[in-house]
């Protein structure tokens, strides 16, 4: 229609008719015609430069206006409030439950449950339609999803207990077979006369943006139940995750606790199908808990951080989908959670990449410092009779360079670092120990020789290689372990004199 309007439709006919009338009725028709043509040319140019109207097939993403951003941030829209509240509660529940399943090494159980629920959904729809009821009733479909998920979990447990298959293999078999069965049953529903599969695919991809008040209320109720169960059974779940055998020996009903945990997984997974779908539901159960693992070593802190990350991922993902309507909500929630995981993996204060790099760097510096101090102490022992030195002689750098396989650059760097810490003093190519450095060097040498004696007499390590083995252990010695070594070697005929304090 737009093409004809521009190249010869009604508008073009109107222009020709006006020109004909002007030519036949006015004496100065040429002047009038030129003016009309000039006006139409300017009007057509402005019309050609005007932006085309939006089409339903236009999939281009446009940046939101400040008014749209303000509306989403301030939760002015009713649907936005429903969606944000629903995904926030789902993120809290999934984060808490996912913390226990991750430590229980059942992180993919939620994925198997979600995929196993698809045959249950399609079966519930077919039965309800055949009996004359509304096959797309949400309670009916969720009941079918729960039954299908429980059957899938039962088959996983059966395959693991009755065969030699491991749990990951059983998970893969049940997950793929049940999902294939569900897709096949969706094809069968398309052939039914009394029903169609339109709307059932929302359980696969989710429908966060079109969440109704009833859907949000259902998610809130189920999430409150899951959160309450995790809080009430926190100590029992913690003991179950870390030491199931010890929990059983103390009379704790581990089987019932395990079934309760799986029940919470089923509850969160089934209600989460409405938000992100069965394919992406596993992300809310795994990613927040795995992200929280980088931040802490304590269980209760991990649970809180996991719930917080799940909430942030759900809220930010839903908000991004509200600002960019053509982006699917479920996928945006998972992508935000993935971004939080990447940030946690790099910056986590307990197991993050940066923290581990810094710890490794500090450990390497400490090892180099220990080697330098011990090398200087042993160089000043004189004839090597094992007696402690009573003075702090100056030692040439070339002499230290021969005692260990380090480069001159590494040695100078270690000396400069030790000087800045107050362990070593330097003068014209020679180095010497300060008072504090002498005490530290004597202590390090003593610990090293304690390990040598222990490895020779109790670990049957040859004296020719005991120095290298002891050198790999001595840098992580704790004071309690040193005392234990002294007790073990108390009756040994070999003695090492304690260095006399320079004070």
């Amino acid at each position: 229609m737009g093409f004809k309007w521009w190249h010869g439709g009604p508008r073009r006919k109107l222009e020709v008719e006006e020109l004909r009338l002007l030519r036949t009725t006015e004496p100065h028709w040429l002047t009038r015609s030129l003016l009309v043509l000039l006006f139409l040319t300017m009007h057509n140019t402005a019309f050609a430069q005007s932006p085309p109207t939006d089409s339903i097939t236009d999939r281009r993403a446009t940046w939101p206006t400040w008014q749209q951003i303000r509306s989403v941030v301030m939760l002015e829209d009713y649907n936005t409030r429903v969606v944000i509240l629903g995904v926030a509660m789902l993120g809290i529940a999934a984060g808490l439950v996912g913390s226990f399943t991750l430590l229980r090494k059942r992180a993919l159980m939620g994925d198997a449950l979600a995929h196993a629920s698809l045959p249950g959904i399609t079966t519930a729809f077919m039965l309800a339609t055949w009996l004359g009821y509304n096959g797309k009733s949400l309670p009916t479909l969720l009941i079918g999803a729960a039954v299908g998920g429980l059957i899938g979990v039962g088959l996983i447990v059966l395959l693991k207990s009755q065969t030699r298959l491991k749990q990951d293999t059983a998970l893969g078999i049940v997950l793929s077979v049940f999902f294939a069965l569900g897709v096949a049953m969706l094809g069968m529903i398309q052939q039914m006369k009394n029903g169609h599969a339109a709307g059932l695919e929302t359980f696969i991809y989710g429908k966060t943006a079109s969440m109704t008040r009833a859907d949000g209320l259902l998610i809130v109720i189920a999430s409150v139940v899951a959160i309450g169960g995790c809080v009430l059974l926190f100590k029992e779940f913690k003991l179950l995750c870390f030491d199931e055998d010890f929990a059983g020996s103390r009379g704790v009903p581990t089987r019932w606790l395990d079934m309760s945990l799986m029940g919470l997984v089923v509850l969160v997974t089934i209600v989460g199908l409405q938000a992100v779908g069965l394919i992406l539901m596993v992300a809310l159960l795994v990613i927040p808990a795995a992200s929280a693992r980088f931040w802490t070593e304590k269980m209760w802190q991990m649970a809180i951080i996991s719930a917080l990350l799940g909430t942030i991922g759900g809220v930010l993902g839903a908000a991004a989908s509200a600002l960019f309507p053509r982006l699917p909500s479920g996928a945006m929630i998972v992508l935000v959670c993935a971004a939080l995981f990447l940030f946690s993996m790099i910056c986590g204060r307990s197991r993050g990449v940066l923290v581990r790099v810094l710890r490794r760097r500090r450990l390497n510096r400490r090892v180099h410092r220990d080697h330098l101090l011990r090398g200087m102490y042993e160089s000043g022992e004189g004839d090597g009779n094992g007696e402690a030195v009573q003075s702090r002689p100056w030692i040439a750098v070339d002499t230290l360079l021969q005692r260990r396989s380090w480069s001159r650059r590494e040695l100078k760097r270690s000396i400069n670092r030790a000087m800045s810490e107050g362990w070593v003093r330097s003068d014209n190519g020679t180095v010497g120990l300060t008072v504090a450095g002498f005490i530290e060097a004597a202590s390090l040498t003593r610990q090293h020789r304690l390990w040598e004696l222990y490895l020779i007499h109790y670990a049957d390590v040859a004296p020719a290689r005991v120095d290298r083995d002891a050198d790999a252990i001595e840098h992580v010695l704790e004071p309690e372990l040193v005392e234990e070594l002294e007790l073990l070697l108390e009756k040994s005929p070999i003695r090492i004199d304690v260095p006399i304090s320079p004070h």
Side-chain angles (χ1 to χ4, degrees), residues 17 48 68 77 90 126 137 218 269 275 278 313 342 351 375 400 405 434 445 478 496:
E17 185 67 21
Q68 293 173 334
D77 185 64
L90 181 63
M126 296 172 69
S137 174
L218 178 63
T269 302
L278 61 87
L342 182 62
R351 296 188 174 189
L400 291 176
S405 58
T434 62
T445 305
E478 298 293 337
I496 300 178

Side-chain angles (χ1 to χ4, degrees), residues 87 90 114-115 117-118 121 179 182-183 186 190 197-211 269-284 321 327-334:
V87 297
L90 181 63
H115 285 77
S117 65
L118 185 58
I121 294 172
F179 186 68
V183 174
L186 284 176
Q190 293 285 5
L200 296 181
E201 69 275 3
T202 58
F203 288 93
I204 301 178
Y205 303 108
K207 58 169 188 176
T208 309
S210 59
M211 186 185 300
T269 302
I270 296 306
V271 298
L273 297 180
Q274 288 289 97
V276 296
L278 61 87
I279 295 179
L280 300 178
M281 184 57 207
V282 64
L284 287 181
S321 179
L327 298 178
S329 303
M332 292 304 300
I333 291 174
V334 174

